[in-house]
Amino acid sequence: MSRNETDTAQSGGVVASHEDGGVSSVGRRAFFSGAAALGSLSLFSSAQAAGSSPSVVQAPGTTGLLDPVTRYPAPPFPQQPQKWPGLQSEMTPRPDCGEEHYQGSGRLAGRKALITGGDSGIGRAVAIAYAREGADVAISYLPQEESDAREVAALIQKAGRKAVLLPGDIRKESICQKIVHKAVLELDGLDILVNNAGRQRYCEDILELTTEEFDWTLKTNIYALFWLVKAAVPHMPKGSAIINTASRNAYQPNPILVDYAMTKAGIANMTHSLARQFLPRGIRVNAVAPGPFWTPLQVCGAQPQSVVQHFGDETPYHRPGQPVEIAPVYVTLASQESSYVTGQVWGITGGDGVPG
């Protein structure tokens, strides 16, 4: 399934909900306004923390501009196989999800978001960004990812927002329904749904792709999105946003990712259809199509280890993206600034222009 901050404030806190329906407290505490929209987000370099030396360019009226090519770690990376679903905390280098450097500006103040796969990678970066932009956040994840999820909850809480933890396998419709129900209950509403959780596992020969593996990918990537949207939409008021996660593979399918690429093309297609269907309800639907991003998905069977070692080297950047670099797009698509944006698939693929 998936490969998914903050002093205790008035409404801050973490709530953990479990598949059996129990809820236990574990502590208190636009599209293209273009560069201007994204420019309102302050992202500071994590290059030193990652062990690299950023190129700093000083120009009149600027302070500490960073070369985007050398800002984050580049391959070669060490081989680091993990068992599915993988943990971010065990990766080298550890993905940068904005834990130390993302600064919000209130763009999502008072919003209530559910993010699947929010424990690590892109989902984690989006959860951190949403909290620092003022939203309360519920994240779903697999029970095996509990340690990563609790790190995210602490970061959300540190940002002064409420965190809700929702472990469960979204390959089951009943679990998807429970996740949405508990998110609505604990957040006292829902107006952002981010369908980010995904399964990717390579297979070099379709004759070796089992029905079980094929079904696993479709249930995680397509069925769960269908079930979550059906459960969430009746609770979402006008002005809400749904953001799906497609992939570069929807447009440039990798021959060893037949089932994964097919589901990501389906997600892009569903995004276009649902956007038109839900606009009369006042709900916008968009998608983000990432290229190569450094997340736990990559080290637990999504790619051969030989590919992991050189992951992202084929892009014009000659490195993978870090989750913190894509989070601002999810912020923009969720914000009211993007009120005229629906049915779009926004490609963040490291310079290859797909989708254009």
Side-chain angles (χ1 to χ4, degrees):
M1 197 189 70
S2 79
R3 272 314 343 158
N4 0 197
E5 294 184 310
T6 84
D7 307 316
T8 302
Q10 295 174 341
S11 62
V14 181
V15 173
S17 299
H18 301 276
E19 290 184 30
D20 59 8
V23 180
S24 60
S25 173
V26 296
R28 289 293 305 165
R29 358 197 180 136
F31 190 77
F32 288 173
S33 335
L38 298 182
S40 66
L41 306 171
S42 299
L43 297 175
F44 296 96
S45 171
S46 60
Q48 292 181 339
S52 62
S53 300
S55 298
V56 179
V57 179
Q58 298 291 350
T62 64
T63 303
L65 289 178
L66 300 170
D67 184 341
V69 175
T70 59
R71 182 173 183 176
Y72 292 104
F77 302 124
Q79 290 195 9
Q80 46 192 297
Q82 291 191 39
K83 293 182 179 180
W84 178 264
L87 292 173
Q88 174 159 313
S89 55
E90 297 180 5
M91 291 180 66
T92 303
R94 183 164 172 155
D96 188 336
C97 295
E99 294 90 343
E100 301 297 330
H101 308 289
Y102 188 98
Q103 294 187 4
S105 57
R107 298 176 73 197
L108 301 178
R111 302 290 294 277
K112 305 170 191 301
L114 169 59
I115 303 167
T116 65
D119 58 290
S120 65
I122 291 173
R124 180 190 186 106
V126 174
I128 292 169
Y130 279 12
R132 292 181 182 176
E133 295 290 352
D136 292 332
V137 181
I139 62 171
S140 82
Y141 53 95
L142 286 170
Q144 304 96 299
E145 301 164 328
E146 185 71 27
S147 59
D148 276 356
R150 288 189 174 266
E151 289 181 1
V152 179
L155 292 167
I156 294 169
Q157 183 190 10
K158 187 178 176 184
R161 307 311 308 171
K162 188 173 187 178
V164 180
L165 300 181
L166 301 168
D169 190 336
I170 61 173
R171 286 179 294 168
K172 299 177 182 179
E173 183 174 10
S174 61
I175 298 302
C176 291
Q177 292 170 341
K178 287 181 180 180
I179 284 171
V180 171
H181 174 75
K182 292 173 183 177
V184 171
L185 182 67
E186 297 300 329
L187 297 176
D188 192 26
L190 183 66
D191 54 56
I192 302 172
L193 171 62
V194 177
N195 289 302
N196 168 74
R199 173 172 172 80
Q200 175 185 330
R201 193 163 186 86
Y202 81 92
C203 183
E204 295 179 337
D205 186 343
I206 195 170
L207 300 181
E208 298 176 2
L209 180 60
T210 67
T211 298
E212 180 184 14
E213 291 282 342
F214 187 82
D215 187 62
W216 191 344
T217 302
L218 265 68
K219 284 287 180 65
T220 303
N221 297 2
I222 292 290
Y223 276 73
L225 187 155
F226 168 65
W227 291 327
L228 289 160
V229 167
K230 283 189 67 177
V233 164
H235 300 282
M236 302 181 80
K238 291 182 184 296
S240 296
I242 296 173
I243 305 168
N244 301 321
T245 302
S247 170
R248 172 180 63 175
N249 277 278
Y251 304 89
Q252 294 178 334
N254 190 317
I256 66 172
L257 299 175
V258 171
D259 52 340
Y260 174 81
M262 178 191 70
T263 63
K264 291 301 179 175
I267 289 171
N269 193 296
M270 289 177 70
T271 297
H272 297 312
S273 297
L274 292 175
R276 286 177 173 257
Q277 184 179 133
F278 290 161
L279 191 57
R281 295 175 180 259
I283 299 173
R284 297 181 298 105
V285 185
N286 293 287
V288 181
F293 273 80
W294 186 242
T295 74
L297 189 71
Q298 305 306 328
V299 299
C300 58
Q303 307 281 358
Q305 283 295 309
S306 58
V307 174
V308 171
Q309 285 185 287
H310 301 281
F311 190 63
D313 190 50
E314 78 283 2
T315 72
Y317 282 71
H318 300 296
R319 67 167 177 85
Q322 291 293 324
V324 68
E325 296 182 279
I326 201 169
V329 178
Y330 286 84
V331 171
T332 295
L333 290 174
S335 75
Q336 294 293 291
E337 299 160 10
S338 297
S339 57
Y340 199 57
V341 180
T342 196
Q344 300 295 143
V345 179
W346 196 336
I348 309 297
T349 57
D352 70 3
V354 176

